[in-house]
């Protein structure tokens, strides 16, 4: 194949692969009144059709994860620790072994409906097992299909244009631009896993991984629609998305400049940055297309096979932790008065801006640390449209919640300490709330 033909093939590979990824993974369409991306919509149809089979399979996998990690802990040096993927999935610390066992116990109790109501109810353990079942399909598939967006040259292409913006605004390299967009538009959990993978490949520094995971890994467009619909403010969806975009930029601009993120090392994995041949001559468009085409030309089927590690990591490593932590968090939020106590500062801010039903809204907003659907549940009876719109935006803004993303951030080492996860949640909540309130009052 001549050089010109090779360049043409690489360019077509970049255009077709990236276009398919954007249309299939990122762009929302209307499916008979349901707004969602193609991938998300059909995954949800699949889950709905086969939930009766998927849930018991997941329970068995959670039990398997707990048993194998316990065996490895009690008897090191078995086949588990000698095989690379097995070691990655099941060789862990005593703390996480205990959490996996707890997750397995909760999953079994919920599935067979035996145990105290506060543990197995549809609002606690039942909600978490159902959520975990959905995510065990959605997140691995998102990780697989995001390959079309992240590895067919789109990162290099957009880096030439958006990169000049993300560096001064968010203190990240130009190559982070596509991951920032993908994290903001797509599912946050998949974005965190995808960012971890790119960090391990040497594309991002530790600080950049933390910035993308804590400042941009929001709920998907589909999730924003769900939240807006349940809270009865779907007619304000355009304003809600605009508000999220504006306030997200403001909060991220501030968040990357204060501890703990500002203190994270700006170093690559094992101190090595990925090496790429980058064209620097010519117009920005020429550089963007050439660099993107070169990247697409390097891609093989192995890029897709490499996703098996993180796909299995999510299901077997993280799902038991999500079930255990999420259930505990929901129990604390719904069955104790702790939430009312800790939400007082948020209530005072709401009252300062004369937001109606401030007490109920404050509890709803702070409950988001436990699970991002809790604010929707707790605010569903609020009468004020203004307040429901504020809660809708604030249920997505903080990004971090115990039932999933907090677990992902700590286990992937995007955020090394759990205390940092808590601090970042508080920072994003307190910084964003006044801006969200002002925005909602202006548009309404």
């Amino acid at each position: 194949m001549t050089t010109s033909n090779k360049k043409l093939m690489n360019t077509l590979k970049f255009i077709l692969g990236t276009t398919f990824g954007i249309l299939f993974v990122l762009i929302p369409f209307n499916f008979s009144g349901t707004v969602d991306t193609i991938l998300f919509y059909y995954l949800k149809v699949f889950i709905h059709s086969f939930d009766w089979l998927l849930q018991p399979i997941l329970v068995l996998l959670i039990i398997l994860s707990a048993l194998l990690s316990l065996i490895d802990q009690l008897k090191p040096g078995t086949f588990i620790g000698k095989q690379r993927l097995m070691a990655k999935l099941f060789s862990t610390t005593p703390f996480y072994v205990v959490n996996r066992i707890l997750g397995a116990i909760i999953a079994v109790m919920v599935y067979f409906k035996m145990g105290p109501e506060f543990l197995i109810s549809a609002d606690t353990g039942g909600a978490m097992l159902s959520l975990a079942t959905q995510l065990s399909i959605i997140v691995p598939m998102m990780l697989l299909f995001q390959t079309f967006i992240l590895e067919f040259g789109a990162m290099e292409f957009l880096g030439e244009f958006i990169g000049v913006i993300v560096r001064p605004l968010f203190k990240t390299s130009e190559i982070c631009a596509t991951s920032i967009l993908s994290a903001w538009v797509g599912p946050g959990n998949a974005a965190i896993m995808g960012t971890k993978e790119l960090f391990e490949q040497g594309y991002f520094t530790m600080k950049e991984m933390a910035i993308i995971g804590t400042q941009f890994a929001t709920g998907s467009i589909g999730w924003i629609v769900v939240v807006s619909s349940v809270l009865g403010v779907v007619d304000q969806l355009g304003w809600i998305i605009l508000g999220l975009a504006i306030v997200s930029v403001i909060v991220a601009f501030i968040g990357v400049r204060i501890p703990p993120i500002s203190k994270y090392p700006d170093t690559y994995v094992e101190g090595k940055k990925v090496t790429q041949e980058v064209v620097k001559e010519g117009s920005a468009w020429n550089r963007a297309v050439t660099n993107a085409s070169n990247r697409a030309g390097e891609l093989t089927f192995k890029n897709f096979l490499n996703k098996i590690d993180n796909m299995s990591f999510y299901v077997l490593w993280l799902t038991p932790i999500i079930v255990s932590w999420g259930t505990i968090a929901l129990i604390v939020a719904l069955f104790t008065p702790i939430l009312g106590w800790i939400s007082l500062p948020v209530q005072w801010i709401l009252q300062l801006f004369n937001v109606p039903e401030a007490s109920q809204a404050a509890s709803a907003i702070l409950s988001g640390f436990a699970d991002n659907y809790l604010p929707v549940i707790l605010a569903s009876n609020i009468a004020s449209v203004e307040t429901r719109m504020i809660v809708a935006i604030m249920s997505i803004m903080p990004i971090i919640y115990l039932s999933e993303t907090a677990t992902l951030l700590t286990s992937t080492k995007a955020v090394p300490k759990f205390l940092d996860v808590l601090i970042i949640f508080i920072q994003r909540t307190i910084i964003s709330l006044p801006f969200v309130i002002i925005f909602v009052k202006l548009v309404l």
Side-chain angles (χ1 to χ4, degrees), residues 273-332:
K273 180 180 179 180
V274 70
T275 57
Q276 288 181 287
E277 291 186 11
V278 178
V279 175
K280 296 182 179 180
E281 296 79 22
S283 66
W285 178 264
N286 178 65
R287 294 196 305 270
V289 172
T290 304
N291 289 328
S293 299
N294 290 342
R295 171 74 169 122
E298 298 170 0
L299 186 131
T300 66
F301 188 64
K302 188 177 179 181
N303 292 72
F304 291 90
L305 290 178
N306 288 341
K307 302 297 178 291
I308 292 173
D309 272 30
N310 281 338
M311 291 166 71
S312 54
F313 180 86
Y314 183 89
V315 176
L316 292 166
W317 210 107
L318 291 173
T319 302
I321 313 300
I322 289 170
V323 171
S324 59
W325 287 18
T327 301
I328 293 169
L330 289 173
I331 291 170
V332 171

Side-chain angles (χ1 to χ4, degrees), residues 115-129:
E117 183 65 18
F118 73 88
L119 183 66
I120 66 170
S121 76
D123 295 326
T124 54
M128 285 316 306
L129 184 59

Side-chain angles (χ1 to χ4, degrees), residues 396-408:
I396 296 161
M397 272 303 308
I399 291 176
I400 294 166
Y401 46 99
L402 280 175
S403 62
E404 191 186 348
T405 53
T407 309
L408 279 169

Side-chain angles (χ1 to χ4, degrees), residues 4 52 65 69 71 103 174 210 245 253 259 262 278 296 337 344 356 385 392 434:
S4 59
W52 60 273
S65 175
S69 61
I71 290 170
E174 290 85 348
F253 179 85
S262 65
V278 178
L344 279 175
V385 174

Side-chain angles (χ1 to χ4, degrees), residues 4 13 46 64 67 88 96 118 123 157 172 174 177 188 191 196 231 327 331 338 353:
S4 59
K13 195 175 177 181
F46 173 80
L64 178 68
L67 286 175
K88 180 178 181 179
Y96 281 109
F118 73 88
D123 295 326
F157 183 83
T172 65
E174 290 85 348
K196 168 185 176 287
L231 287 177
T327 301
I331 291 170
I338 295 174
F353 286 91

Side-chain angles (χ1 to χ4, degrees), residues 6-53:
K6 186 177 180 181
K7 286 182 179 178
L8 178 61
M9 289 299 294
N10 289 344
T11 302
L12 286 173
K13 195 175 177 181
F14 153 60
I15 294 171
L16 294 176
T18 302
T19 301
F20 171 78
I22 291 171
L23 289 174
F24 194 67
V25 178
L26 292 185
I27 304 297
F29 294 91
N30 191 314
F31 295 91
S32 302
T34 301
V35 178
D36 222 328
T37 64
I38 296 174
L39 176 62
F40 247 44
Y41 176 78
Y42 285 106
L43 284 177
K44 288 174 182 176
V45 170
F46 173 80
I47 292 165
H48 179 73
S49 301
F50 295 97
D51 184 65
W52 60 273
L53 177 62

Side-chain angles (χ1 to χ4, degrees), residues 53-193:
L53 177 62
L54 295 173
Q55 192 163 101
I57 290 174
L58 183 66
V59 172
L60 288 174
L61 289 175
I62 292 173
I63 294 170
L64 178 68
S65 175
L67 286 175
L68 290 178
S69 61
L70 180 61
I71 290 170
D72 182 74
Q73 192 67 219
L74 296 176
K75 193 177 180 181
T78 63
F79 70 97
I80 297 172
K82 293 176 181 177
Q83 204 278 330
R84 182 194 61 82
L85 184 56
M86 293 284 282
K88 180 178 181 179
L89 295 174
F90 305 115
S91 294
T92 184
T93 63
F95 173 77
Y96 281 109
V97 172
V98 171
N99 276 275
R100 289 188 193 201
I101 293 171
L102 181 59
I105 293 170
I106 292 172
V108 170
M109 291 176 70
V110 170
Y111 183 74
F112 290 104
K113 294 181 173 56
M114 56 184 191
E117 183 65 18
F118 73 88
L119 183 66
I120 66 170
S121 76
D123 295 326
T124 54
M128 285 316 306
L129 184 59
S130 176
L131 177 64
T133 302
Q134 297 174 46
L135 295 177
S136 67
I137 301 296
I138 289 173
V139 175
M141 288 298 100
M142 277 299 300
L143 288 171
L144 180 64
F145 283 99
Q146 277 190 162
T147 304
F148 287 98
I149 299 171
L150 301 178
E151 298 185 38
F152 270 78
M155 292 177 69
E156 287 72 13
F157 183 83
L158 287 177
E160 285 293 334
F161 305 104
I162 304 176
V164 297
I165 301 172
V166 300
R167 183 178 288 278
L169 282 181
F170 311 126
K171 293 184 174 291
T172 65
S173 60
E174 290 85 348
I175 206 167
C176 294
T178 301
S179 287
I180 286 173
L181 287 175
S182 179
W184 200 86
V185 178
N189 36 42
I192 293 169
M193 292 294 292

